[in-house]
Amino acid sequence: MRWTKIRLERRDRVTWSWRLICFFFAILGTLLVTGLLISSAGKEPIEAFKELFIGAFFGIESIVETLVRATPLILTGLAAAVAFRAKIWSIGQEGQLVLGAIAAYWASILFEGMPRIIVLPAVICLGFIGGALLGVFCGWLKARFRVDEIISTVMFNYAIFYLLTYLLSGPWQPPGDFYIQSAPVIEKALLPTLLQDTRLHGGLFIAIFVAIIVYFLIKRTPLGYEIRAFGANPIASSFKGIKPTRMLLVVMLISGGIAGLAGASELLGVHQRLNTDISAGAGYTGIIVALIGGLTPLGTVIAAVLFGAMVNGGFMMQVITGVPKSMVFAMQAITLLFFLCSTLMSQYRIRKVTADV
């Protein structure tokens, strides 16, 4: 008697050509499924995609705004990528971003009387420290009390948002102001504008610089080797002298600090005051960006620009074609699903096994 079984088998070698083919099919699948959703809403898919592309990339203003939208996603994506490379499932980029913004604003008050050459670096550093402290605390909870990092980081996302709301409706609310927001950040703490009469700010350079640092950290340093080894097999890595508790705290510190930089960047470059929209979901979206980017710095940057283009072009698509802007969030989810499937397809193959019983 013969039986046949279908199983997934890991490829011995994955070529770049095969990766590109899988990447192409992921994009094609995303466009087809999104097109069907747009058609079901009674709109023309080709027209909607055209307006989305025009809104994202047609003209200097559109490109600049896409980069502005992509900047926090690059940083939160890198924060998620560092944690996930070590198989530490931190979902706290949203809260770390907000706490980084809170710390940066507090620093701008604390160093108000000092010259700009001191104020700006201090504010950026405090933003990093704010996010890093939250990350380390969640790591400590896991190391000391075995609190799952997914649960602790998600819960602190809400706790930090409520802290922000309290500060903006109480201690940091300007007298006589009925809006839930802080006073403007002092001029010397703001990031420089890269193009006149646009919102493009120095946070883009910070994001690119951090991406380069993360690349060299992961690929070229002993710590990066330890992170990759710990992610591959934490038990085996412990026999090589890699201490799990130390690795957990170091990775959560780096990841949280990068997310905190995203908060400082948004505060000092875009909003220029604290408000409840300081994040706008960039922390959660950064996780999707990191996964689509293959947990690599370059892939994360590319994915962040793609998602920034979706958000920016979504407004033009809504105005011209009437497609709801919420369709952009559906596109992001569909993109994630297809890219995860393409990653699986690039690394594994389906094999039919026949045997005699």
Side-chain angles (χ1 to χ4, degrees), residues 185-207:
V185 178
I186 58 174
E187 183 76 23
K188 53 186 159 184
L190 298 178
L191 289 168
T193 301
L194 301 182
L195 285 178
Q196 191 175 5
D197 299 327
T198 70
R199 298 201 305 165
L200 189 64
H201 56 86
L204 179 62
F205 285 159
I206 294 176

Side-chain angles (χ1 to χ4, degrees), residues 172-185:
W172 285 351
Q173 186 178 38
D177 196 337
F178 297 99
Y179 296 101
I180 303 180
Q181 62 183 17
S182 70
V185 178

Side-chain angles (χ1 to χ4, degrees), residues 185-334:
V185 178
I186 58 174
E187 183 76 23
K188 53 186 159 184
L190 298 178
L191 289 168
T193 301
L194 301 182
L195 285 178
Q196 191 175 5
D197 299 327
T198 70
R199 298 201 305 165
L200 189 64
H201 56 86
L204 179 62
F205 285 159
I206 294 176
I208 294 173
F209 177 73
V210 171
I212 295 171
I213 293 297
V214 169
Y215 170 80
F216 281 100
L217 170 69
I218 298 297
K219 294 291 186 181
R220 307 293 183 184
T221 66
L223 176 59
Y225 168 77
E226 292 181 359
I227 290 173
R228 287 183 282 122
F230 185 79
N233 193 325
I235 297 177
S237 63
S238 65
F239 288 98
K240 290 291 185 179
I242 300 175
K243 298 180 180 179
T245 299
R246 170 183 169 274
M247 183 55 55
L248 174 65
L249 296 178
V250 168
V251 169
M252 290 296 284
L253 183 148
I254 296 172
S255 175
I258 295 173
L261 283 177
S265 170
E266 285 296 281
L267 171 68
L268 307 176
V270 178
H271 298 270
Q272 300 184 3
R273 66 170 75 213
L274 270 181
N275 54 51
T276 54
D277 294 328
I278 194 71
S279 174
Y284 294 118
T285 307
I287 298 173
I288 303 176
V289 166
L291 292 173
I292 291 177
L295 305 184
T296 63
L298 178 59
T300 299
V301 171
I302 294 172
V305 174
L306 173 65
F307 271 52
M310 285 186 190
V311 175
N312 188 35
F315 178 75
M316 178 70 75
M317 180 178 69
Q318 180 184 24
V319 171
I320 302 299
T321 66
V323 175
K325 195 176 180 181
S326 57
M327 186 65 69
V328 171
F329 301 108
M331 288 180 65
Q332 292 176 352
I334 293 168

Side-chain angles (χ1 to χ4, degrees), residues 99-162:
L99 190 57
I102 291 173
Y105 185 79
W106 175 73
S108 71
I109 298 173
L110 189 64
F111 295 98
E112 183 176 2
M114 296 188 176
R116 179 179 175 84
I117 195 171
I118 296 177
V119 173
L120 185 55
V123 170
I124 293 172
C125 288
L126 261 292
F128 179 92
I129 292 172
L133 287 177
L134 180 57
V136 168
F137 184 67
C138 292
W140 177 79
L141 288 176
K142 181 174 183 178
R144 182 68 177 83
F145 300 106
R146 297 185 182 276
V147 178
D148 188 270
E149 71 270 23
I150 297 177
I151 296 175
S152 63
T153 51
V154 169
M155 292 184 68
F156 270 107
N157 286 342
Y158 294 97
I160 297 301
F161 179 79
Y162 289 129

